[in-house]
C-alpha cells in the first residue's frame, strides 16, 4: 500500500470510528488530480463508469501513488485494514529509514555515525569507513612499526557480542549490527 | 384453537390439551430450537403467547432499533441471555457516519432494571461505554458471559470494572473491538479467588498486559478452554502460558515473530506437544516461517485455523496447512496463492468454510498469484465446503459455472473481485452467467455477495432462483432500475439487502415498498435515489424507519431540500419502536 511520508495520517492507529479522520469528515471530496495524494474518490464518479481501468494507466509512473481510492472498497474491515496499515508502515519505515550505527575507532578522538542502508555490501562499507577515518588510519599507520597498519572491522550484535564483519550475508548483517568498531590490527590477531 | 377461557369438561380423567397449565407449554417450548419457531408458537393463541414469552431465556435482537429495550423487557421478562446488534453491516467498511447511533447504554439500563438475572450479554457493532461495563458489573449478580464484537467506546477501565465485579465470569470475549488503552492493569483486578474463567479473548487489545498476572490467572483457572492473546505477548511467553494451560481447546497466539533461536523453537514445540486438546488456532501475526514447524504436533487435531493475519508465504505455510488433515475452517491471506490452495484441496477434505483475505487490497501493483483457479480446486475436492469468502483479482464465468456444478451445497458464497466492474478476463463478458449458475445450483444459498461486471440479468436470475437467500450484498453492479426490481420482487426469503454504487433509482423502491416490511433492513448508498421517493416511502409505510444520510458538509438540513435532491445513503428498517431520537445531525428520519 502506498503511503507517502506526508500522509502519515493513513498509518495512524486511530481510536475513532472507521472512516473518520480527526477533522470529522466521513466522506472526503475528490482531490482535483487523481493520482496525487491517495484521495478518497467521489464514489459517484466510480459508479457512472469513469472506469478505474483508465486510472490504472497512472500506475506506470512509479512515483505516483495508485489510483484514487473508493471509500470502503474493497470491503476489508477497518480492524483488518488498521492492522495491515500499521504493519506495512512499520515495514516500509524499516526498509526506507536510515539505519545509523555508531562507528568507533581505537585511538580516534570521537565516534562517527554511518547509515548502513547506504551501502550494498561489505566492500562499499569498508571503503566508506576508510574514507571517514583516513586521518586516524594514516596517523596510526605512521605510529605503527610498519606492516601492522591493517585494521579489522568488528561489530556488536544484538546480544552484545563482538563479531568480525564479513562472515554473514549482508542483509543479515544489517539487521543484527548495532555498533561498528574499527580495531587495530594487533588487537585483531 | 383452544383459548384459555374454554370450559373444561367436569371431572374428566385428564384436562383437554388446550387447557393445560402454562408450565407444560413452557416445557414443550423449551425443545424448540430456533427463536423463529418460538415466535411462531407464540402467534398461535393467547395462552401459548403467554407461556412462550414468559419462559423465553435467550433473546436475539438483530436490530437494536427494531424495538425499544423496554419493549423487549416487558415482553420477555425471564431472559437470561441477550444479544443485540446495532450498526448496519457496511459500518465495517466506513460507510456509516460517526456517531450514527447504536448506543448500548439504553439496553444495559433496561436489562439492569428488568432482567436482574441476566447471565449473558452480547453486543455487536454497538457503542459500549465504560459506564455500560460498570453497570453490567454492578447489576447482575450471576453475570457469566460478556461478548463484544466490533464495538467501540470503551477502554481498559471498563474491562477493569468487569474483572473486579463479576465474580462468576466464565467468558470474556472481545472480538475486533476498538478499545482505548488507559494503561490500567485490568487483568490484575481479577481477584486471587477468581477461578471460573473458561474463555478469555483479548486479541484486539493494543496495549501491553502484565504477563505475570496473566500467567497466574491462567494457572488458577483450571477450566480455561479458550485463550486468545494479543499482539503484545511475545513468543517465549506463549510457551510458558501453554505449559500452564495444556487443556486449552482454542488458542490465539500473540505475536509470532522473533528471531530464530533453536532454544525457543524447542521450548515452543514441547509446549505445543503438551496441548493434546487443541482444536482451534488463530492469531499468528507476522508469523515467521521458521517457527511454524513448532505447531506440527497439533496439526492433526486442528479443526479450525485462522491465519488471516499471518503474512507468511511460501512453502512453510503450505507444508503446515497440508498437515492439518481435519480442518473444517480455514482463513488465510491470499499469500497462499493458487498452488497453495491446490494443496489445501488435496489435503483438507473435511473443509467446510474457506476465507481468503487480500494482503494488499489497495495496491494493484503487488501481484499475488491468487486467481479463480484456487477456488475451483478447493470446491472440486472438498465435498463439505459450504461457506466461502474469496478476494481475488480475476474470475471467469466458466470457473463459476464449474464451482456451481461441483458444490451445490453452498450456503454462503461471497466473492469479491477487487477491481469494480471487472469482466470475465478471458471473454470480457459480464459475470452474469457465472453467478446465475451459482444461484441456480445452490438451492440452499443463504448469503451471497456478488462483484465484477454485472448487468441486470444476473439479478433476474437471483430474484427467480435464490429462494432461501437471506442476505445479499451488491456493489458496482447492474445497469438500470430493473436490477433492483428483480431482487425486491423475487428473493422470497430476503432479510437483508445492502447495495452500494449501483444505478438503482426510486421506481423499484416505491413499487416494492411492501416487501421492505418483510425484510429486516435495506441499505442503499451512492445509488440514484431522490429525497422525494424516500419521503414517499416513509409516508406509505409507517412501520418502516426511513433514514437518510447525507454528507454533513453539504450544509442545509434535509427539511429544506427539495424532493429532487439526491440522497447519498438510505437505510430502511422495520420497527415497532417508531422513529429513534438519537440521530446525529447528518442522519434524518424522513
Amino acid at each position: 500500500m502506498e503511503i507517502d511520508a506526508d500522509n502519515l495520517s493513513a498509518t495512524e492507529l486511530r481510536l475513532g470510528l472507521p472512516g473518520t479522520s480527526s477533522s470529522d469528515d466521513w466522506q472526503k471530496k475528490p482531490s482535483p488530480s487523481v493520482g496525487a495524494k491517495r484521495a478518497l474518490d467521489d464514489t459517484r464518479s466510480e459508479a457512472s463508469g469513469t472506469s478505474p481501468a483508465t486510472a490504472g494507466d497512472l500506475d506506470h509512473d512509479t512515483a505516483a501513488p495508485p489510483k484514487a481510492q473508493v471509500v470502503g472498497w474493497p470491503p476489508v474491515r477497518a480492524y483488518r485494514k488498521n492492522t495491515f496499515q500499521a504493519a506495512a508502515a512499520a515495514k516500509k519505515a524499516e526498509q526506507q529509514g536510515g539505519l545509523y550505527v555508531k562507528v568507533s575507532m581505537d585511538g580516534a578522538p570521537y565516534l562517527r555515525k554511518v547509515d548502513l542502508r547506504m551501502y550494498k555490501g561489505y566492500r562499499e562499507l569498508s571503503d566508506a569507513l576508510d574514507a571517514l577515518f583516513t586521518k586516524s588510519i594514516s596517523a596510526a599507520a605512521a605510529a605503527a612499526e610498519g606492516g601492522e597498519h591493517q585494521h579489522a572491522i568488528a561489530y556488536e550484535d544484538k546480544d552484545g557480542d563482538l563479531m568480525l564483519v564479513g562472515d554473514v550475508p549482508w542483509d543479515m548483517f544489517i539487521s543484527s549490527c548495532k555498533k561498528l568498531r574499527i580495531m587495530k590490527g594487533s588487537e585483531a590477531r | 384453537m383452544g383459548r384459555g377461557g374454554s370450559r373444561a369438561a367436569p371431572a374428566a380423567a385428564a384436562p383437554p390439551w388446550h387447557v393445560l397449565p402454562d408450565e407444560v407449554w413452557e416445557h414443550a417450548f423449551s425443545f424448540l430450537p430456533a427463536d423463529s419457531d418460538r415466535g411462531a408458537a407464540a402467534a398461535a393463541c393467547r395462552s401459548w403467547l403467554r407461556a412462550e414469552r414468559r419462559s423465553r431465556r435467550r433473546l436475539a435482537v438483530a436490530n437494536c432499533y427494531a424495538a425499544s429495550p423496554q419493549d423487549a423487557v416487558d415482553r420477555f421478562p425471564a431472559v437470561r441471555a441477550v444479544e443485540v446488534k446495532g450498526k448496519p453491516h457496511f459500518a465495517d467498511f466506513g460507510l456509516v457516519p460517526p456517531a450514527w447511533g447504536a448506543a448500548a447504554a439504553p439496553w444495559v439500563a433496561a436489562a439492569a432494571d428488568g432482567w436482574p438475572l441476566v447471565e449473558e450479554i452480547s453486543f455487536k457493532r454497538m457503542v459500549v461505554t465504560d459506564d455500560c461495563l460498570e453497570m453490567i458489573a454492578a447489576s447482575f449478580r450471576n453475570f457469566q458471559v460478556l461478548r463484544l464484537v466490533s464495538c467501540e467506546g470503551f477502554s481498559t477501565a471498563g474491562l477493569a470494572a468487569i474483572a473486579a465485579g463479576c465474580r462468576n465470569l466464565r467468558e470474556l470475549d472481545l472480538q475486533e473491538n476498538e478499545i482505548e488503552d488507559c494503561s490500567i492493569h485490568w487483568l490484575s483486578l481479577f481477584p486471587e479467588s477468581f477461578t471460573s474463567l473458561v474463555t478469555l479473548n483479548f486479541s484486539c487489545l493494543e496495549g501491553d498486559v502484565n504477563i505475570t498476572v496473566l500467567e497466574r490467572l491462567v494457572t488458577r483457572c483450571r477450566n480455561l478452554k479458550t485463550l486468545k492473546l494479543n499482539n503484545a505477548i511475545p513468543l517465549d511467553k506463549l510457551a510458558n502460558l501453554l505449559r500452564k494451560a495444556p487443556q486449552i481447546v482454542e488458542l490465539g497466539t500473540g505475536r509470532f515473530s522473533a528471531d530464530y533461536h533453536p532454544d525457543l523453537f524447542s521450548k515452543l514445540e514441547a509446549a505445543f506437544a503438551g496441548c493434546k486438546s487443541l482444536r482451534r488456532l488463530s492469531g499468528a501475526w507476522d508469523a515467521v516461517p521458521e517457527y511454524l514447524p513448532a505447531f506440527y504436533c497439533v496439526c492433526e487435531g486442528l479443526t479450525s485455523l485462522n491465519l488471516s493475519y499471518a503474512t507468511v508465504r511460501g512453502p512453510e505455510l503450505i507444508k503446515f496447512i497440508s498437515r492439518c488433515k481435519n480442518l473444517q475452517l480455514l482463513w488465510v491471506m491470499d499469500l497462499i496463492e493458487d498452488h497453495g490452495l491446490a494443496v489445501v484441496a488435496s489435503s483438507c477434505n473435511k473443509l467446510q468454510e474457506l476465507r481468503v483475505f487480500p494482503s494488499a487490497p489497495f495496491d494493484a501493483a503487488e501481484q499475488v498469484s491468487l486467481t479463480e483457479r484456487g477456488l475451483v480446486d478447493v470446491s472440486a475436492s472438498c465435498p463439505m465446503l459450504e461457506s466461502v469468502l474469496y478476494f481475488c483479482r480475476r474470475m471467469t464465468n466458466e470457473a463459476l459455472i464449474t464451482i456451481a456444478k461441483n458444490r451445490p451445497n453452498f450456503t454462503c458464497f461471497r466473492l469479491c473481485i477487487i477491481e469494480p466492474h471487472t469482466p470475465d478476463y478471458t471473454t470480457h463478458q459480464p459475470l452474469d452467467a457465472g453467478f446465475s449458475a451459482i444461484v441456480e445450483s445452490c438451492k440452499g444459498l443463504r448469503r451471497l455477495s456478488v462483484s465484477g461486471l454485472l448487468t441486470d440479468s444476473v439479478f433476474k436470475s437471483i430474484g427467480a432462483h435464490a429462494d432461501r437467500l437471506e442476505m445479499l450484498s451488491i456493489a458496482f453492479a447492474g445497469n438500470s432500475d430493473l436490477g433492483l426490481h428483480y431482487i425486491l420482487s423475487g428473493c422470497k426469503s430476503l432479510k437483508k439487502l445492502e447495495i452500494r454504487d449501483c444505478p438503482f433509482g426510486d421506481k423499484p423502491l416505491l413499487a416494492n415498498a411492501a416487501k421492505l416490511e418483510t425484510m429486516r433492513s435495506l441499505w442503499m448508498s451512492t445509488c440514484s435515489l431522490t429525497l422525494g421517493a424516500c419521503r414517499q416511502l416513509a409516508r406509505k409505510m409507517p412501520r418502516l424507519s426511513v433514514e437518510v444520510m447525507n454528507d454533513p458538509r453539504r450544509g442545509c438540513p434535509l427539511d429544506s431540500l427539495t424532493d429532487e435532491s439526491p440522497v447519498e445513503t438510505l437505510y430502511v428498517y422495520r420497527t415497532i419502536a417508531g422513529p429513534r431520537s438519537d440521530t446525529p445531525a447528518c442522519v434524518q428520519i424522513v
Side-chain angles (χ1 to χ4, degrees), chain B residues 67-319:
Chain B
S68 75
Q70 203 50 51
D71 288 339
V73 170
D74 289 343
R75 171 147 172 158
F76 302 107
V79 161
R80 298 283 164 89
V82 59
E83 177 192 6
V84 186
K85 296 185 187 175
K87 301 184 204 172
H89 176 231
F90 275 176
D92 285 353
F93 316 127
L95 295 182
V96 173
W100 176 81
W107 288 92
V108 177
D113 199 40
W115 291 325
L117 296 178
V118 132
E119 296 168 356
E120 288 185 32
I121 293 183
S122 302
F123 286 127
K124 183 168 183 177
R125 284 194 206 100
M126 296 190 69
V127 178
V128 179
T129 60
D130 285 341
D131 285 344
C132 291
L133 295 179
E134 278 160 26
M135 190 180 266
I136 289 176
S139 311
F140 308 110
R141 59 182 163 79
N142 196 26
F143 193 70
Q144 295 176 22
V145 174
L146 179 66
R147 192 172 302 118
L148 300 176
V149 180
S150 301
C151 296
E152 75 214 319
F154 62 103
S155 74
T156 44
L159 295 181
I162 296 287
C166 300
R167 295 287 136 85
N168 299 314
L169 195 68
R170 272 189 302 115
E171 294 185 28
L172 179 59
D173 190 359
L174 306 170
Q175 299 178 28
E176 302 201 350
N177 304 290
E178 297 217 19
I179 308 178
E180 197 182 326
D181 188 5
C182 292
S183 304
I184 290 188
H185 298 296
W186 59 279
L187 262 186
S188 325
L189 290 170
F190 283 111
E192 282 303 313
S193 56
F194 173 79
T195 59
S196 49
L197 215 51
V198 174
T199 294
L200 179 61
N201 174 7
F202 59 95
S203 50
C204 58
L205 203 65
E206 279 172 7
D208 288 321
V209 291
N210 185 325
I211 303 210
T212 321
V213 169
L214 177 61
E215 279 183 14
R216 281 211 304 270
L217 181 65
V218 164
T219 308
R220 65 180 188 271
C221 294
R222 303 306 324 156
N223 290 322
L224 193 68
K225 294 280 186 303
T226 296
L227 178 63
K228 293 169 114 171
L229 308 171
N230 71 348
N231 222 346
I233 312 267
L235 214 49
D236 54 329
K237 301 300 180 192
L238 172 64
N240 295 346
L241 285 165
L242 283 178
R243 274 206 310 275
K244 300 204 168 16
Q247 77 281 6
I248 212 111
V249 173
E250 179 166 8
L251 175 70
T253 71
R255 175 164 289 281
F256 213 72
S257 66
D259 291 337
Y260 181 79
H261 277 290
D263 291 340
L264 180 49
F265 181 91
S266 313
K267 209 173 153 195
L268 271 175
E269 204 181 19
F272 276 114
C275 298
K276 305 262 187 272
S277 310
L278 190 58
R279 298 284 169 268
R280 301 192 285 275
L281 193 59
S282 58
W285 287 280
D286 297 342
V288 164
E290 287 77 30
Y291 281 112
L292 284 184
F295 283 125
Y296 280 177
C297 48
V298 299
C299 285
E300 204 56 44
L302 285 184
T303 57
S304 164
L305 182 59
N306 178 355
L307 291 177
S308 63
Y309 290 101
T311 47
V312 193
R313 56 198 314 169
E316 286 87 358
L317 170 66
I318 298 172
K319 224 191 309 182

Side-chain angles (χ1 to χ4, degrees), chain A residues 1 13-20 25-29 43-44 46-47 52 66-67 69-81 83-84 158, chain B residues 87 91-93 95 98-99 150 152 176 178 180 203-204 259 308-309 311 333 357 361-363 391 416 418-421 475 500-501 526-527 551-553:
Chain A
M1 185 163 29
L13 286 178
R14 281 194 299 265
L15 298 170
L17 288 174
T20 58
D25 294 347
W26 67 281
Q27 250 186 14
K28 296 202 171 71
K29 282 284 187 213
T43 54
R44 218 172 256 280
E46 287 287 338
K67 55 184 130 336
Q69 234 181 14
V70 174
V71 178
W73 189 265
V76 172
R77 280 196 171 190
Y79 178 72
R80 181 171 289 278
K81 233 183 351 174
T83 312
F84 278 115
K158 283 196 184 121
Chain B
K87 301 184 204 172
D92 285 353
F93 316 127
L95 295 182
S150 301
E152 75 214 319
E176 302 201 350
E178 297 217 19
E180 197 182 326
S203 50
C204 58
D259 291 337
S308 63
Y309 290 101
T311 47
M333 302 287 313
F357 294 92
F362 307 107
D363 191 354
F391 282 82
C416 179
I418 292 179
E419 197 54 54
H421 310 295
R500 62 164 295 172
D501 293 275
T526 320
C527 297
D551 188 336
R553 290 162 314 120

Side-chain angles (χ1 to χ4, degrees), chain B residues 24 46 140 152 157 201 214-215 284 303 359 377 382 398 407 466 475 527 565:
Chain B
V24 177
R46 283 210 190 97
F140 308 110
E152 75 214 319
N201 174 7
L214 177 61
E215 279 183 14
T303 57
S359 54
D377 285 343
C382 299
E398 190 188 336
R407 281 288 65 75
C527 297
S565 321

